[in-house]
């Protein structure tokens, strides 16, 4: 399927400002800038498995399109939300459990890269992955 593969982060855009807006302190931001994030994505119909590994942790997330699930960021911030497929774009809408604010994200394949965009409080960041 479109997003299937082993993806390794190659570069980020505006990620430090995004994390600061999310309330992540400078020490964690410095570490997160070099987190060597990898995601292994596998899709079967409307079900996805995402194996996430970084310098912080290794976890597996399973979700179904349109079905709400819980997810915790590496710093422990808890989110709840769902992914939907809009054409060739995965669109995620999540709510922070601690303050009720919305975090939007999407994944799209551009050329041979997977581009994930995050938006929180009007601040947008991108993380761009290459096939590992
Ligand atoms: C402070 C750093 C924030 C990074 C933003 C991460 C947003 C994650 C959205 C939800 C991801 C669900 C699991 C997945 O599909 O990988």
């Amino acid at each position: 399927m479109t997003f299937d593969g082993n993806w390794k982060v190659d570069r980020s855009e505006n990620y430090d400002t995004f994390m600061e807006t999310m309330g992540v302190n400078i020490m964690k931001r410095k570490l997160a800038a070099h987190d060597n994030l990898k995601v292994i994505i596998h899709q079967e119909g409307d079900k996805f498995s995402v194996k996430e590994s970084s310098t912080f942790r290794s976890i597996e997330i399973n979700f179904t399109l349109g079905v709400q699930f819980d997810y915790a960021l590496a710093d422990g911030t808890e989110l709840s939300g769902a992914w939907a497929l809009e054409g060739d774009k995965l669109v995620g809408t999540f709510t922070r459990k601690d303050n009720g604010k919305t975090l939007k994200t999407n994944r799209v394949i551009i050329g041979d890269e997977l581009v994930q965009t995050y938006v929180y409080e009007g601040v947008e960041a991108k993380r761009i992955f290459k096939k590992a």
Side-chain angles (χ1 to χ4, degrees):
M1 305 292 253
T2 311
F3 297 92
D4 280 13
N6 293 23
W7 300 97
K8 182 178 182 331
V9 73
D10 179 65
R11 60 195 186 280
S12 302
E13 295 175 3
N14 206 37
Y15 193 45
D16 187 69
T17 302
F18 176 80
M19 287 190 287
E20 187 177 12
T21 307
M22 286 285 288
V24 179
N25 71 44
I26 189 160
M27 293 288 286
K28 288 181 182 167
R29 297 206 309 271
K30 295 279 178 213
L31 295 171
H34 305 283
D35 64 358
N36 285 321
L37 180 62
K38 294 178 187 121
V39 288
I40 301 174
I41 300 178
H42 179 66
Q43 178 184 1
E44 268 186 53
D46 61 355
K47 294 187 190 310
F48 282 73
S49 145
V50 179
K51 290 178 183 156
E52 172 192 317
S53 63
S54 70
T55 52
F56 295 113
R57 62 181 182 177
S58 294
I59 57 169
E60 178 171 353
I61 307 110
N62 292 287
F63 62 85
T64 301
L65 293 174
V67 177
Q68 193 152 325
F69 64 100
D70 292 338
Y71 174 80
L73 302 178
D75 71 350
T77 303
E78 294 183 348
L79 309 177
S80 182
W83 286 105
L85 203 50
E86 296 182 3
D88 285 338
K89 186 184 282 195
L90 263 178
V91 177
T93 305
F94 293 84
T95 302
R96 279 179 68 146
K97 290 188 180 183
D98 59 346
N99 65 11
K101 291 184 176 175
T102 300
L103 188 159
K104 293 204 171 214
T105 181
N106 67 67
R107 288 181 170 129
V108 64
I109 304 293
I110 299 177
D112 58 0
E113 297 182 323
L114 182 155
V115 178
Q116 183 158 6
T117 301
Y118 312 97
V119 182
Y120 179 73
E121 293 284 275
V123 177
E124 181 178 297
K126 289 185 193 300
R127 301 201 84 186
I128 297 123
F129 297 76
K130 287 188 178 294
K131 279 263 169 82

